């Protein structure tokens, strides 16, 4: 479980730096974006590419970008 939180934070950090929202995101928001983004990305794009802690990295980052964009659009 701790491994999933760490990988979720890394995925959220990568997606935040891609979307230029990395500076304004807190640690909890990064973990949330990474975990929810992992679910969304793997549901939409499948399980391909390298994986850590049961999360496929590339679809998870794409899903986290989608989650960040939607949350940013809703709470702007």
């Amino acid at each position: 479980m701790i491994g999933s939180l760490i990988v979720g934070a890394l995925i959220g950090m990568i997606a935040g730096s891609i979307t230029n929202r990395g500076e304004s995101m807190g640690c909890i928001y990064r973990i949330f974006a990474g975990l929810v983004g992992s679910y969304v990305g793997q549901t939409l794009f499948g399980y391909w590419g390298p994986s850590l802690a049961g999360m496929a990295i590339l679809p998870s980052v794409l899903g986290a970008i989608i989650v960040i964009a939607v949350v940013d659009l809703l709470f702007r």
Side-chain angles (χ1 to χ4, degrees), residues 4 7-8 11-12 31-47 52-57 59-65 67:
S4 295
V7 172
I11 291 170
I31 292 172
F32 171 78
L35 293 177
V36 174
S38 175
Y39 174 76
V40 169
Q42 291 178 17
T43 301
L44 293 176
F45 305 115
Y47 298 91
L52 289 171
M55 295 180 221
I57 301 299
S60 297
V61 170
L62 292 174
I65 290 171
V67 168

